[in-house]
Amino acid sequence: MPAPVVAIIGAGQAGFQVAASLHQEGFAGRVVLVGDEPFLPYQRPPLSKSYLAGNTGVEDLWLRPAEFYAKQQIDLVDSDAVIEIDRHHRRLRLASGAEISWNHLVIATGARFRPLPVPGAELDGVLPLRTLADADMLRQRLNEAREVVVVGAGFIGLEFASVAIAADADVHIIEITHHPMGRVVSAQTSRFFADAHRRWGAKISFATGVARILGGNGRVTAVETTDSRRLPADLVLICIGVIPNAELARDAGLAVDNGIVVDEYLATSDPAISAIGDCANFPTPFAIGRVRLESVQNAVDQGRCVAARIAGTPAVYDKVPWFWSDQGDLKLQIAGITTSHDASVVRGDDRSFSVFCFRAGRLIGVESVNRTGDHVVARRLLAGEPGLSPEQAADGNYDLRAHARGLSAR
Ligand code: FAD
């Protein structure tokens, strides 16, 4: 019998993790990791933080050096895209014409940036931020840019804005809703970050869209807003979210609905195919119904979970979701998923605090600003039955660590 083959589509955070974890889990077959980018697998968070600011180099982005893949006997294929999943013959077809047969397939294709459908979006100087190539381009343009417009006040837009301000650019953030990061954080945290960005010098326009982008000689010169203002710009970042890369799966007849639909084991509607990371839509006890999460924790833990299952130790995926964002001198850390909370209390002061979010009296998530201790305890609490009341959470003298220790001792 030939050794079984695991093929992984997408050599990003999640794809890398399955490949790295398979041998640790005792898998003795062949592992092929196919990525369409011309780089070693790399981490994306620094692209909007230290790498963008020029404080770290490209070698700090690699998840492992090149030798790792040979040593671990991972066949790493770069600069080549999978263009078809043939489920019948269990074969992948690549853009280069190559074919790869598999016994188990893992789809870890991530997501791509969502383009802004307005006239002028194709002008030089209107840029996205998803890949290392995008970050290199932005880093170069940021050196010369004086007037920057950021479209979309999500995590990445705000991280970019704080780097641009530090680089002495004039920054104007425009956001279609009434709140920054409003899709994912509580009103308190959202307000706090809006104030912080204004204090650092950014202008922010809420409830404002882009009507069109104006240019001269092919280069961007201004953004015209939906309320008919013209914001001068020599650099525009479009950061209005992502689209999960699920077309390959859909074309192969797998269920797709805001990402590739998987079960609690992260298997698709075909048990020989799993999907993980930004492209996967999965059921979780940490939210109402299904979610598709975009975070390093999610990509890494799902990679480990699928590797263990392929190697013979199946387990339901039930890891506590967590996330972080660095903006200026503020570190935001989120444990759990807070979007559906119906009550919240704040612990701390106006420089360093945590928002404890509850639904029907149960703790469902904690957003911490410059309070890593709370974040660490929150992750422990959420991994079981937290048993924490809003009164205890709000009481600065109540010992959260002792509370968490008491729970794990029970
Ligand atoms: P990706 O890392 O996107 O990898 C998918 C890979 O698959 C890509 O290389 C893609 O090109 C490739 N691919 C797609 N289709 C094909 C195909 N057909 N054939 C071959 N290859 C293919 N998360 C945090 O938790 N904290 C942060 O602070 C944070 N900051 C971020 C900052 C930026 C600028 C970005 C872009 C993301 C950030 N994230 C952060 C999110 C985090 O990086 C992602 O959630 C994570 O990378 C998801 O891993 P993934 O493997 O699912 O997708």
Side-chain angles (χ1 to χ4, degrees), residues 291-309:
V291 288
R292 193 180 60 73
L293 295 180
E294 295 155 23
S295 79
V296 168
Q297 170 279 322
N298 184 62
V300 169
D301 285 337
Q302 293 195 337
R304 289 185 177 138
C305 177
V306 163
R309 171 158 54 82

Side-chain angles (χ1 to χ4, degrees), residues 191-385:
R191 234 181 354 255
F192 178 82
F193 275 88
D195 291 346
H197 280 273
R198 287 195 173 110
R199 207 172 50 244
W200 295 329
K203 295 186 199 79
I204 313 185
S205 298
F206 290 117
T208 305
V210 175
R212 58 186 175 138
I213 302 176
L214 307 167
N217 298 325
R219 277 197 83 142
V220 63
T221 54
V223 171
E224 189 177 297
T225 60
T226 43
D227 54 6
S228 304
R229 282 177 294 152
R230 277 195 183 186
L231 313 178
D234 47 18
L235 178 60
V236 176
L237 180 75
I238 306 295
C239 248
I240 55 167
V242 296
I243 301 170
N245 291 322
E247 291 79 2
L248 271 179
R250 187 200 55 210
D251 294 349
L254 299 172
V256 166
D257 179 12
N258 179 29
I260 304 167
V261 175
V262 293
D263 65 13
E264 65 273 36
Y265 293 92
L266 308 174
T268 66
S269 41
D270 179 338
I273 306 180
S274 304
I276 56 172
D278 284 12
C279 69
N281 182 319
F282 62 101
T284 173
F286 296 98
I288 301 170
R290 299 179 147 269
V291 288
R292 193 180 60 73
L293 295 180
E294 295 155 23
S295 79
V296 168
Q297 170 279 322
N298 184 62
V300 169
D301 285 337
Q302 293 195 337
R304 289 185 177 138
C305 177
V306 163
R309 171 158 54 82
I310 295 171
T313 322
V316 163
Y317 179 71
D318 63 354
K319 292 285 182 267
V320 177
W322 56 269
F323 191 87
W324 80 94
S325 175
D326 298 331
Q327 299 172 33
D329 57 356
L330 300 174
K331 179 176 266 309
L332 169 64
Q333 292 167 295
I334 304 173
I337 298 173
T338 60
T339 36
S340 63
H341 69 277
D342 54 27
S344 63
V345 296
V346 178
R347 186 182 177 96
D349 55 39
D350 57 4
R351 285 292 304 152
S352 147
F353 64 90
S354 294
V355 182
F356 285 70
C357 298
F358 295 81
R359 185 175 63 235
R362 185 182 193 275
L363 183 71
I364 58 163
V366 179
E367 300 162 359
S368 302
V369 178
N370 291 352
R371 258 175 104 93
T372 296
D374 285 357
H375 174 71
V376 172
V377 175
R379 276 161 52 181
R380 277 171 46 201
L381 291 176
L382 293 166
E385 176 48 58

Side-chain angles (χ1 to χ4, degrees), residues 9-15 34-37 44-45 47-49 80-82 108-111 129-130 156 159 245 248 276-279 294-297 299 322-325:
I9 314 177
Q13 189 87 49
V34 187
D36 57 2
E37 294 188 70
R44 293 178 199 274
L47 302 184
S48 52
K49 308 178 184 70
D80 205 352
V82 173
T109 44
L129 177 48
R130 176 74 197 179
I156 294 172
E159 289 176 359
N245 291 322
L248 271 179
I276 56 172
D278 284 12
C279 69
E294 295 155 23
S295 79
V296 168
Q297 170 279 322
W322 56 269
F323 191 87
W324 80 94
S325 175

